Structure formats: C-alpha cells, structure tokens
Amino acid sequence: MSLLELANVSKEFELSGGTRVYALDDVSLSVDAGETLALIGESGSGKSTLGRLALRLIEPTRGSVRFQGTDVLSLRPPDLRRLRAKLQIIFQEPFESLNPRMRLADIIGEPLAIHRANMSPKDRQDRVAQVIEQVGLAPDMARRYPGELSGGQQQRVGIARAIVTAPSLVVLDEPTSSLDLSVRAQILQLLADLQAQLGMGYLFISHDIHTVRYVSDRIAVMYRGRVVETGPSGQVFADPQHPYTQALLAAALPVDPGEEMPPARLVGDPLSPTRLVRGCVLYGRCPVGEDRCAETEVRLTPVDDVRSVACVKPGTVVG
Ligand SMILES: Nc1ncnc2c1ncn2[C@@H]1O[C@H](COP(=O)(O)OP(=O)(O)OP(=O)(O)O)[C@@H](O)[C@H]1O
Ligand SMILES: [Mg+2]
C-alpha cells in the first residue's frame, strides 16, 4: 500500500469576479514509504497546490486523497489532527514559518504539545533535545530565537519541527531554494541522512533540476496543472519521453559538445491557467505537436512497467 495516493485530483480556484483558475487537472500519483518522489515543473504548474492538497490544507474540487489507505477528505477534525502528526510539511522560507518570539525549544516542541498532549514535560524536552541533535544543531540552540540563526540553521529548525512527531511522510516545498549553494548541499545531505535513518517518504517539490536529480527516486514532471511524465528519475533524466521534459532538461543541463542536436525548445506562451483544455496542455508550444494533440484527450499513459507519459507520440526526440 502506498503512503500517499492522489487519484484524479483537480483543483479550481475561483477569483473575485468569477474567473476560474484551473490549478490542477486530473492528477494521479503516489508516494511509497521511504522513497522520494520529486515534483518538478515551472512556476505556476501546480506543485504547491498539490503539496497542500496532500495535507488537506486545501481541498480538491474533485478526486480523492488517501494516506496509508485512509480517505483524508472524509476525516473529522480529531482524526485529521492525528493524521497531521504523520504527515508534515517543510516550507521554502524557514524564517517566515517560524514564530520569531518563540524559543527554538518551544517551536520544535509545539507539534508535540498538539499531537502528544499526554507526553510529560520532561519527555517532551528530551525528545526536542534528541531532534535538535539529529538535525545537526548545538544543544544550547534550544534557548535561542529564530532571528539569531542563519538561513541554514533556520531550515534545520523547520526540519526538526517537521520530524519531531516521527512522521511517515514529509512534503518539502522548495526547502532549499532560499539557501546559498553550499548551505543547500548540507541541507540536502541532512534530509537524505534523516530519510535513511527514519524511513520517511518525501514529496519533494522543486523547480531546480539539479536538486531533483540529487534527491529523487522517482519524478513527476508537471506542466500547467497536469503530470505529463513520471518514472524512476534515472530513466527520466537519461531518456525523457515528453517534449516538455526534454525541453526542461535541455534548458538546465550542460550542452554536450559532441552532440549535434540543438537543444529542444518550446515556442510561444504557456496556456493561460484560466483555460481548461481537453487535449494536450503543451499544444501550441510543442515543437512536435500536431492538430490531433488539441483534439485528443491526452492523459498519462504507461509506456512500460514503471514509466508513464501524457503525449500522443511519446519519445519523439525534439530537435
Ligand atoms: N489561492 C489561490 N487562488 C487563486 N489561484 C491560485 C491560488 N493558489 C494557486 N493559484 C494558481 O494556481 C496555479 C498553480 O499555482 P501553484 O502555486 O500550485 O504553482 P507552483 O508550481 O507551486 O509554482 P511556483 O514554482 O511558483 O511555486 C497558478 O496559476 C496559481 O496562480
Ligand atoms: Mg510553489
């Protein structure tokens, strides 16, 4: 059984004035215990919306969300609180998600106060001290305030707070995007070490190909509210099947001097998020698109045992 399973999830936001934003359109994906599924895609593709839906911070317009087999959308408040102990989130801006007037011990211990209300103060203190050490902070940091820390230390606090209740799944929404490169590498290493020790599943959201390549077991490539390609990351990086994935990789990876093929490029502007289309969301920008792509219902379809692509002619090499 998967840890997290989203089936046919769509999310529409209604703006004042009645305009609809189609943030997610019929997305299905799953995350297994101990694995990292990376969600990658350009700004506005729906990554954060999907992450927030997984925790039921927002609710889908259609579709189902299951966590360890339980229907998350039907949970009542006490059960939802219990779920939140097992399903945590880490945000991009550590400082903004930490209360500046609380000491680190209280920030990190707060989820225990909520989710383990019958834990004794001494046990809570011991658990906080243990987690502070696990994330590589000095014990005396417990008395400090967030404003006294560097960006990297603040993100370590965000991680400590997320793991203190021993979650099974953590959603990481661009957890290293605001950090300097050297600090970023340390935080990614810490996340990998914690995953190896604790066996957590990660839903890792990022628009940075290099980060995703480093952290992920599988990837789901998103474009305009849909997952257009998914598979083991090694295979997707080595042999991208969807023209959007090909363009994304070509734009980010160094050009091989021996390669004669020019990098794949997308033309034109992205489809407006206020338009819902039946066909391919890349139609109009796709270098290999045909008229049928606009008319055919293009959905994620298996191309082999482990990979799926939403394209009428997957694997066409874009030049
Ligand atoms: N609360 C909201 N109200 C209206 N529209 C929203 C809301 N939240 C997200 N959207 C829209 O939904 C779409 C997906 O947004 P989302 O934040 O999920 O993208 P993202 O992939 O996380 O982008 P980024 O890389 O910039 O963080 C965008 O068009 C966005 O403007
Ligand atoms: Mg986002």
Side-chain angles (χ1 to χ4, degrees):
M1 181 175 45
S2 296
L3 265 185
L4 176 71
E5 200 154 359
L6 271 67
N8 308 108
V9 166
S10 296
K11 177 66 184 176
E12 299 169 10
F13 292 104
E14 193 165 327
L15 305 179
S16 53
T19 307
R20 283 183 170 270
V21 173
Y22 298 96
L24 291 176
D25 180 18
D26 196 19
V27 169
S28 300
L29 55 77
S30 64
V31 185
D32 289 338
E35 79 161 348
T36 298
L37 174 72
L39 277 188
I40 188 156
E42 65 195 44
S43 186
S45 54
K47 307 180 296 296
S48 296
T49 300
L50 196 153
R52 290 163 67 211
L53 273 166
L55 281 100
R56 204 176 142 189
L57 297 174
I58 54 173
E59 303 207 348
T61 310
R62 281 179 297 282
S64 74
V65 180
R66 288 183 170 272
F67 180 72
Q68 294 179 325
T70 302
D71 176 5
V72 171
L73 299 172
S74 67
L75 290 181
R76 291 168 177 279
D79 296 323
L80 187 59
R81 266 199 301 281
R82 267 192 286 281
L83 169 93
R84 296 254 166 86
K86 294 186 185 171
L87 182 46
Q88 292 279 355
I89 186 162
I90 295 172
F91 294 102
Q92 174 172 355
E93 294 294 342
F95 190 64
E96 283 172 22
S97 54
L98 304 177
N99 184 335
R101 283 182 294 276
M102 280 168 73
R103 292 182 194 273
L104 299 196
D106 297 324
I107 292 175
I108 297 169
E110 193 176 43
L112 293 176
I114 297 169
H115 299 297
R116 308 266 187 273
N118 49 8
M119 206 174 189
S120 73
K122 169 78 173 76
D123 286 351
R124 193 183 300 165
Q125 205 179 352
D126 289 350
R127 174 66 182 151
V128 169
Q130 183 188 26
V131 173
I132 284 181
E133 191 189 331
Q134 268 181 319
V135 299
L137 291 170
D140 66 355
M141 290 275 187
R143 292 193 305 273
R144 304 272 193 90
Y145 291 91
E148 301 173 54
L149 309 184
S150 69
Q153 288 171 331
Q154 286 169 357
Q155 196 53 299
R156 286 176 196 267
V157 174
I159 295 169
R161 188 184 152 89
I163 66 168
V164 74
T165 56
S168 317
L169 180 74
V170 183
V171 173
L172 301 114
D173 194 349
E174 307 266 8
T176 57
S177 303
S178 66
L179 303 174
D180 292 343
L181 273 186
S182 61
V183 180
R184 186 177 298 185
Q186 292 167 12
I187 296 293
L188 292 176
Q189 186 61 52
L190 171 66
L191 289 168
D193 292 346
L194 290 171
Q195 186 177 45
Q197 285 164 27
L198 307 173
M200 296 173 285
Y202 286 160
L203 179 62
F204 194 106
I205 297 172
S206 177
H207 63 266
D208 179 47
I209 302 254
H210 304 285
T211 299
V212 163
R213 184 173 223 178
Y214 179 75
V215 300
S216 60
D217 299 306
R218 287 190 303 125
I219 74 175
V221 182
M222 294 194 67
Y223 180 73
R224 252 306 323 275
R226 292 194 195 156
V227 173
V228 296
E229 174 157 11
T230 176
S233 50
Q235 291 183 34
V236 175
F237 275 104
D239 177 29
Q241 297 281 306
H242 196 284
Y244 177 71
T245 316
Q246 293 172 355
L248 199 66
L249 297 185
L253 299 177
V255 179
D256 178 352
E259 190 82 57
E260 283 183 16
M261 197 91 70
R265 270 207 272 141
L266 301 179
V267 291
D269 297 319
L271 180 73
S272 160
T274 58
R275 282 192 54 208
L276 185 64
V277 296
R278 181 178 139 83
C280 180
V281 274
L282 197 62
Y283 179 73
R285 284 188 93 191
C286 181
V288 294
E290 299 171 357
D291 288 348
R292 64 181 168 133
C293 303
E295 293 143 18
T296 319
E297 186 150 351
V298 186
R299 290 294 183 244
L300 206 55
T301 310
V303 289
D304 60 32
D305 287 353
V306 286
R307 303 185 59 180
S308 296
V309 182
C311 180
V312 297
K313 40 184 193 177
T316 314
V317 177
V318 182

